Amino acid sequence: MKLIYIIIGVALLLFASCGRQQQAKSSVKDFVEQQLHRDVSYLDFSSVDSTRAITDSLIQTLRHRAGQGVQYQNPSGATLLHIRAQYLQDEDTLSATFYLDPTTMGVVAYKEN
């Protein structure tokens, strides 16, 4: 009987993580299109993961580098998530890391790698 509960629990965790991955990809694509006004073709996305290595001062630095025209949602103070995207722009292969809020609904900051 315990084995059935374990299998159901693992299946639910896998289902939840797949949904979070898809939501993160969607949020990144929306951000790039609406805020950065770039026409890109996506090649690959990394897995969504959490990070505690980013601080408020680092977020401010990333926002300053991005320029004043980019609008961000304010971070909630919780641990942020990050995802790396590899994409084509004008025949160049580029990558960037996007830092998302814990709900994966909004990009807090990004950096081009």
Side-chain angles (χ1 to χ4, degrees), residues 45-89:
F45 285 92
S46 69
S47 297
V48 175
D49 199 2
S50 61
T51 180
R52 295 182 190 266
I54 191 164
T55 62
D56 289 339
S57 61
L58 181 56
I59 289 173
Q60 295 304 321
T61 301
L62 293 172
R63 288 179 177 178
H64 182 70
R65 270 195 224 158
Q68 303 303 322
V70 178
Q71 301 295 315
Y72 295 96
Q73 295 181 7
N74 291 331
S76 63
T79 300
L80 298 177
L81 302 173
H82 65 92
I83 186 170
R84 181 172 291 181
Q86 189 176 32
Y87 55 93
L88 287 174
Q89 182 181 9

Side-chain angles (χ1 to χ4, degrees), residues 21-34:
Q21 180 76 19
Q22 291 302 322
Q23 179 59 48
K25 287 180 184 180
S26 178
S27 294
V28 166
K29 289 177 181 180
D30 290 345
F31 177 81
V32 170
E33 181 181 316
Q34 295 171 4

Side-chain angles (χ1 to χ4, degrees), residues 4-25:
I4 292 173
Y5 290 128
I6 291 172
I7 292 171
I8 290 172
V10 169
L12 289 173
L13 285 173
L14 287 173
F15 180 72
S17 68
C18 290
R20 181 173 74 167
Q21 180 76 19
Q22 291 302 322
Q23 179 59 48
K25 287 180 184 180

